[in-house]
Amino acid sequence: MDQQIHLIKSIAGQDQQAFQELYTLYSSKVYNTAISYAQNPADAEEITQDVFVKIHKYAAQFKGESSVGTWIYRIVVNTSLNHLKKKKRFSFLSFGQTETHPSDFDHPGILLENKENARYLFQSIDTLPESQKTAFILSFVEELPRQEVADVMELSLKAVESLLQRAKKNLRDKLENAYPNRRK
Amino acid sequence: MKSDKDKWIAGVLGSLEGSKRAVPPPELFARIQQKIARPEAKIVPIGSYRFAAAAAVLLLVLNVFVLHQYSKAPGSYSNEQVTVSSESLISDFNLYDQ
């Protein structure tokens, strides 16, 4: 843990080696979270790029009040949500011409036999409200401990549990509606 | 006993099991370094201008459309027609008769 704080301090001092080390430690965590929100590899790359640029830019402002991991996940969540909002605004202005529909999304890390089911799951995740979506992605896609999810979201443990319960109920309802139209 | 629907839903909700983290493409780090090295360009928020530009284009199109329709319409007036109609008005209502 101290080592990661040291890395951040070195990055603040423009140490490129430290930046590369931090990238090696966190790039897949950042990218995996980003792709779960964006459901599109190109957007996930853009979000990952923005996250690391922000880490580099704001490293000097890191006060160590939370762990480095929590701080980075917070940046990923905010950047991803802002990206989604921006994209929604843009697709409204371009009269609905979007390139990839979320339902076509295949998460690259999912086992082959689960791909079809996971497509329905991500399609349903995409319709969840922001806070439920964040709690679900951090808990079940990133598999973070509940306390860390609570720290990232700056909520109590109880509030996170409640968000997850509501998220699961909403997902179940959406899947029930999707059941008659599923591919057999 | 679980119905087919419940089984399917459980399968979908459990589809993340055994999954691995997605990994970014190897060239992404070089792109990040390039972006950091580039002097920061000042971003002009074009979102608000977009609405103004769209409104201006809409106004222009509406104007062109109205002018086009007006010139095409059978009831558009030439100078001659105006003279004729005002003459008939004068005679119909005996405006200058004493």
Side-chain angles (χ1 to χ4, degrees):
Chain A
M1 197 64 81
D2 285 346
Q3 200 188 346
Q4 290 191 14
I5 293 174
H6 179 72
L7 275 181
I8 295 289
K9 281 182 183 163
S10 303
I11 293 167
Q14 303 300 312
D15 181 343
Q16 290 311 303
Q17 184 68 37
F19 185 60
Q20 185 153 13
E21 268 181 58
L22 191 86
Y23 181 83
T24 309
L25 280 174
Y26 281 97
S27 60
S28 63
K29 294 178 184 181
V30 170
Y31 183 76
N32 193 51
T33 311
I35 204 169
S36 305
Y37 278 100
Q39 302 194 7
N40 174 331
D43 288 346
E45 282 174 33
E46 205 179 311
I47 293 168
T48 307
Q49 196 169 316
D50 287 350
V51 168
F52 280 97
V53 169
K54 281 178 189 168
I55 291 171
H56 191 272
K57 192 174 171 185
Y58 299 116
Q61 290 174 27
F62 177 72
K63 294 188 184 87
E65 287 164 358
S66 60
S67 73
V68 173
T70 302
W71 181 62
I72 292 176
Y73 272 115
R74 222 173 267 162
I75 297 174
V76 184
V77 169
N78 290 333
T79 309
S80 302
L81 290 174
N82 285 338
H83 185 91
L84 291 183
K85 279 181 204 157
K86 218 192 291 175
K87 210 174 168 192
K88 208 170 173 186
R89 270 204 305 266
F90 184 75
S91 67
F92 167 71
L93 283 171
S94 60
F95 304 102
Q97 288 172 5
T98 44
E99 42 325 332
T100 317
H101 194 266
S103 61
D104 303 331
F105 168 68
D106 271 329
H107 188 288
I110 299 288
L111 295 174
L112 194 64
E113 61 265 33
N114 290 339
K115 287 235 185 251
E116 184 70 35
N117 280 343
R119 208 175 286 162
Y120 283 104
L121 181 62
F122 278 102
Q123 203 178 331
S124 305
I125 290 173
D126 197 50
T127 62
L128 290 175
E130 276 184 6
S131 54
Q132 290 177 28
K133 193 187 285 185
T134 299
F136 192 89
I137 288 173
L138 294 179
S139 301
F140 296 111
V141 182
E142 263 306 290
E143 297 181 324
L144 293 185
R146 297 285 187 278
Q147 186 56 57
E148 195 170 350
V149 177
D151 292 344
V152 172
M153 296 182 77
E154 295 177 283
L155 293 172
S156 68
L157 198 58
K158 218 174 166 182
V160 171
E161 295 287 1
S162 152
L163 278 174
L164 286 172
Q165 262 180 2
R166 273 183 282 156
K168 279 183 189 170
K169 192 193 172 298
N170 280 337
L171 289 175
R172 200 173 288 276
D173 290 347
K174 284 172 205 305
L175 290 170
E176 270 182 27
N177 290 334
Y179 181 73
N181 306 319
R182 77 199 186 285
R183 280 180 217 159
K184 288 169 195 166
Chain B
M1 180 124 175
K2 271 188 174 181
S3 67
D4 282 351
K5 185 164 79 175
D6 288 338
K7 274 185 205 162
W8 181 74
I9 291 172
V12 170
L13 290 173
S15 60
L16 294 171
E17 266 171 40
S19 63
K20 288 178 184 160
R21 277 204 177 103
V23 180
E27 71 275 8
L28 191 63
F29 185 66
R31 282 188 356 226
I32 291 167
Q33 279 184 312
Q34 274 175 7
K35 198 170 177 184
I36 289 169
R38 219 180 298 148
E40 206 173 331
K42 201 182 171 192
I43 297 161
V44 180
I46 55 165
S48 50
Y49 292 120
R50 229 179 260 156
F51 282 109
V57 169
L58 185 70
L59 263 177
L60 189 72
V61 168
L62 280 174
N63 273 300
V64 170
F65 177 75
V66 168
L67 281 174
H68 183 69
Q69 291 296 102
Y70 187 73
S71 66
K72 250 177 46 180
S76 59
Y77 303 112
S78 63
N79 282 342
E80 204 178 320
Q81 279 173 318
V82 171
T83 316
V84 170
S85 62
S86 60
E87 274 170 9
S88 66
L89 192 74
I90 289 165
S91 61
D92 284 353
F93 292 96
N94 302 325
L95 287 180
Y96 301 113
D97 286 356
Q98 287 179 338

